[in-house]
Amino acid sequence: MCSLPQDPTEILVEAEAFDDYGGWVMDSQFDLEMGSPYLLAHGNGVPVADATTVIDTLPGLYHIWVRAKDWVPGHHPGRFTLMVNEKTLEPQFGANDQDWSWEYGAAVALGSKTKLALHDLTGFCGRCDAIFLSRTGEPPRSDAARSWRRTLRGLPQAPTNMGNFDVIVVGGGIVGSAAALVAARLGNRVALIHNRPVLGGNGSVEIGLRPRGVTGPLIDEISQRHSNGDLNAESLLRAESNATVLLEHTVYDTITRDSTIISLDARDARTGREIRLSATSFIDCSGKCILVKSEYGESLAPLEGDDYIHHGHTLFFRTSMANSATPFPDVPWAREISKDYSNLGGQLVRPGIENGPGPATPLMGELDPSASLRQRMKLPLTHFWEYGQRLDPYTTGEHVRDYLLRAIYGTFWNVKQELQYANLKLEWVAFVAAQGEFRRYEGDYVLSEVDIRTHKQFLDGVVQNDGAFCLHYPAEEDAKYDFRLKHWEWDERDKKPYDIPFRCLYSKNISNLMMAGKHISVTHVAGSNTKFMGNGGQHAIATAAAAHLCEKYDTTPRGMINHISELKVLCSRFTGLVNTDPINDQSTSMAKL
């Protein structure tokens, strides 16, 4: 229950702070993009149960606004109403043809306790950020600025100091989980900060990919799944006394001095509470260059000339056949994207098992264009559902996710028009997209495709990666099915592992920043292989081991050149490499393709 604020003439109720979400889910993945977490009515066409909360109010007349989004203007698929003390306000929110904005509800006489309920009307991703109540009739700030939110929620303007750690890991995917676990097992005090409610990133139960590339015992241990599909990562980390795991926390600022990170600030998605954590070493495993992207991240734009195309996002889903016919409403707003596409291949069978087949019907429009596609493009692969390759992933993430939702819903509707699929139902559709390519950091060395193909030897080659070059090429901008890949390059090279020099795993600009995962210091083509989660796990092992030695020798990552033999031996404790010879750098590894 929300207690009465110090100034009861204005009350802000954040949707993510509701007492009971009902069937709504908290969506915090776009906090840095649109300004706040929000509640999402993700019912795949079936209205979800009400989200409810009770707040303290002074008796009197209040004007009420709701911050919502009409995510498909002109069609309004995400409509909902607000109930105040069991009475429904007249407006349907999410139907004003606007992006995130405040919509006026009504003037309502309230008593000392007020119950609010979000009532979903469609099951198609209605979304509510906040509710504002004013006794004066003064409307809320149009930008809903963070400082304004803090004031109305009674939160301090400055973050609370949470103390010092030896190492802080940002991003709790398989890569970040590996870095934090290695650091803890080496005896270092480590904080892992992750913006989702579960660990695993693209491998989590929210998405479901399995790690590819080099894995080894540590990554295999982390990647074991519980019966509900959740990874073993959180259980392992909670068992380590040296590890602090902060879920549902978004890093929104870093504090630097003389090209050194001193601390970072993170915000709790549910409470809005902001904290500051300090450390000697920082490891960015977010895949997004989140710590210093604005100043030091490698730009996605080319230096000159051609449009840059990067790996887009993918949304996973699963269908099944019910025992009887299942309804699904017409979705013209989704068919605007799907057109007449009617192939539901490329499903997530279960967490860790992707590339599942799905029902397909003859296209209802023109002849199937797949006749002109390369044979591999006809396979039922999950990552063929991809979009956003030409868009800025830092500012258009919500749009890309929504576009893919429309593509899936429209395709599903097309397939269900065939009598044989009358019983078909959407068993599960992710609302968190598998993340594609973001910016990359630049280190003291930039690994290239040629380095990988020629197995270039490096004195500081501390771990190995393996697997194919995996390059995604989108359809043309005006393609009919622009949510499907046009071409996919899967070049397995010579199927032999190659070295990752440690100079690719630390920033050339920030003295105490290391990175692991798909945003290490590599070229675009090289990164199409180093991006695999198993490969990133090897980077994580190296960076966590380096953080341990930095603490031991009071040095920086760049100073590891003086301790490289010891770093290699320390890494070998976790990588699972056999026949490891730190003098001649000879080793073999197993890769999962």
Side-chain angles (χ1 to χ4, degrees):
M1 185 175 73
C2 180
S3 59
L4 200 65
Q6 290 184 344
D7 180 8
T9 61
E10 292 186 333
I11 302 173
L12 179 69
V13 182
E14 295 277 14
E16 63 271 18
F18 266 42
D19 299 328
D20 183 353
Y21 289 173
W24 297 63
V25 293
M26 183 179 70
D27 195 352
S28 61
Q29 60 188 310
F30 309 116
D31 187 346
L32 299 179
E33 180 179 320
M34 56 72 65
S36 174
Y38 57 83
L39 289 191
L40 181 76
H42 186 51
N44 296 322
V46 179
V48 305
D50 293 353
T52 61
T53 198
V54 176
I55 63 172
D56 291 331
T57 49
L58 288 178
L61 187 69
Y62 286 81
H63 295 267
I64 301 177
W65 284 263
V66 175
R67 193 165 191 255
K69 175 175 180 170
D70 186 350
W71 69 284
V72 188
H75 292 283
H76 330 307
R79 302 185 309 282
F80 65 96
T81 57
L82 175 64
M83 298 169 61
V84 180
N85 293 328
E86 310 296 342
K87 294 183 179 180
T88 301
L89 303 190
E90 184 176 339
Q92 291 187 5
F93 300 102
N96 65 349
D97 294 324
Q98 300 295 314
D99 203 334
W100 286 105
S101 61
W102 290 104
E103 302 179 41
Y104 184 71
V108 181
L110 303 178
S112 59
K113 297 286 185 182
T114 299
K115 180 180 179 181
L116 304 174
L118 301 177
H119 181 68
D120 177 31
L121 297 175
T122 68
F124 282 122
C125 296
R127 52 201 77 179
C128 177
D129 170 18
I131 300 167
F132 179 75
L133 300 90
S134 170
R135 287 169 60 89
T136 66
E138 188 72 20
R141 281 189 55 160
S142 59
D143 59 358
R146 181 58 60 179
S147 59
W148 175 78
R149 293 176 189 256
R150 291 191 200 102
T151 298
L152 289 182
R153 297 183 76 180
L155 296 170
Q157 291 295 332
T160 301
N161 193 336
M162 293 294 289
N164 295 289
F165 296 84
D166 298 323
V167 58
I168 292 175
V169 178
V170 177
I174 286 177
V175 176
S177 298
L181 194 57
V182 169
R185 290 179 175 177
L186 288 174
N188 295 117
R189 291 186 64 243
V190 58
L192 174 62
I193 307 172
H194 189 49
N195 66 346
R196 302 300 308 155
V198 292
L199 294 176
N202 282 354
S204 74
V205 68
E206 291 188 309
I207 298 171
L209 282 172
R210 65 179 177 89
R212 289 179 169 81
V214 175
T215 54
L218 182 76
I219 305 306
D220 288 343
E221 183 183 14
I222 288 170
S223 302
Q224 293 297 312
R225 294 186 184 272
H226 300 291
S227 58
N228 65 354
D230 196 13
L231 294 173
N232 202 29
E234 184 176 353
S235 300
L236 294 171
L237 283 162
R238 298 290 186 191
E240 296 289 338
S241 60
N242 289 324
T244 298
V245 180
L246 297 169
L247 298 178
E248 296 185 326
H249 279 73
T250 296
V251 173
Y252 65 90
D253 197 14
T254 56
I255 294 86
T256 61
R257 183 186 308 134
D258 299 328
S259 297
T260 299
I261 299 177
I262 305 301
S263 58
L264 57 77
D265 296 338
R267 182 165 46 246
D268 186 312
R270 293 177 185 264
T271 67
R273 185 175 69 106
E274 296 172 344
I275 57 176
R276 176 164 294 174
L277 304 93
S278 303
T280 305
S281 297
F282 294 81
I283 306 175
D284 189 344
C285 300
S286 68
K288 301 180 180 180
C289 292
I290 198 170
L291 292 185
V292 288
K293 66 173 186 265
S294 61
E295 187 172 0
Y296 297 106
E298 181 188 74
S299 173
L300 279 174
L303 293 177
E304 300 285 347
D306 298 337
D307 291 337
Y308 185 88
I309 297 175
H310 57 89
H311 183 173
H313 295 349
T314 297
L315 209 58
F316 292 176
F317 65 94
R318 180 168 55 252
T319 65
S320 62
M321 293 292 282
N323 294 326
S324 58
T326 57
F328 191 75
D330 191 7
V331 286
W333 49 271
R335 290 188 285 108
E336 284 183 354
I337 305 302
S338 68
K339 310 297 193 299
D340 54 8
Y341 192 75
S342 54
N343 187 333
L344 289 167
Q347 300 190 22
L348 187 77
V349 178
R350 64 177 184 271
I353 306 295
E354 64 264 30
N355 300 331
T361 67
L363 291 177
M364 294 178 289
E366 61 189 47
L367 292 176
D368 187 347
S370 67
S372 63
L373 295 177
R374 294 180 59 176
Q375 189 62 35
R376 68 173 53 168
M377 299 308 297
K378 301 177 184 179
L379 298 172
L381 302 188
T382 52
H383 67 271
F384 287 179
W385 296 82
E386 184 177 310
Y387 185 68
Q389 299 92 335
R390 295 181 177 87
L391 301 176
D392 181 351
Y394 293 97
T395 60
T396 62
E398 188 178 23
H399 165 72
V400 171
R401 187 275 307 273
D402 291 348
Y403 200 90
L404 288 166
L405 282 173
R406 294 171 71 186
I408 291 168
Y409 290 144
T411 302
F412 180 78
W413 189 90
N414 289 340
V415 171
K416 271 190 71 69
Q417 302 318 295
E418 291 289 323
L419 184 60
Q420 62 179 317
Y421 294 121
N423 294 13
L424 190 68
K425 67 177 182 179
L426 281 169
E427 184 177 315
W428 171 80
V429 179
F431 67 92
V432 180
Q435 301 295 288
E437 186 180 5
F438 290 76
R439 297 183 179 96
R440 297 181 293 278
Y441 286 110
E442 184 176 357
D444 278 347
Y445 189 82
V446 180
L447 190 72
S448 71
E449 174 190 1
V450 173
D451 294 336
I452 294 173
R453 289 193 184 278
T454 61
H455 297 275
K456 184 173 181 177
Q457 297 294 299
F458 300 98
L459 291 176
D460 63 337
V462 288
V463 292
Q464 292 191 318
N465 280 181
D466 204 346
F469 291 118
C470 178
L471 293 160
H472 297 191
Y473 298 96
E476 289 78 8
E477 290 186 76
D478 60 352
K480 183 177 182 180
Y481 308 128
D482 57 359
F483 52 91
R484 301 284 298 176
L485 284 185
K486 177 182 180 181
H487 176 56
W488 169 50
E489 190 67 49
W490 180 259
D491 181 346
E492 295 185 350
R493 308 177 291 107
D494 57 6
K495 298 186 178 181
K496 294 180 180 179
Y498 59 90
D499 288 344
I500 297 292
F502 184 67
R503 286 166 294 163
C504 293
L505 304 181
Y506 63 83
S507 167
K508 68 181 292 184
N509 304 98
I510 301 294
S511 66
N512 62 341
L513 173 62
M514 291 177 279
M515 54 276 192
K518 60 189 174 185
H519 57 350
I520 66 171
S521 182
V522 293
T523 64
H524 174 64
V525 175
S528 75
N529 177 256
T530 60
K531 70 181 180 183
F532 293 143
M533 288 184 285
N535 286 341
Q538 310 311 302
H539 316 153
I541 290 169
T543 53
H548 176 74
L549 295 180
C550 284
E551 191 78 14
K552 178 179 178 179
Y553 293 111
D554 190 24
T555 187
T556 64
R558 185 173 279 118
M560 280 296 99
I561 194 65
N562 300 315
H563 308 281
I564 205 68
S565 292
E566 185 175 359
L567 178 58
K568 290 181 182 182
V569 171
L570 195 57
C571 288
S572 69
R573 288 174 50 184
F574 299 95
T575 58
L577 296 180
V578 295
N579 301 326
T580 301
D581 181 350
I583 304 300
N584 298 315
D585 295 325
Q586 294 178 352
S587 59
T588 60
S589 67
M590 295 183 296
K592 294 184 178 180
L593 303 177

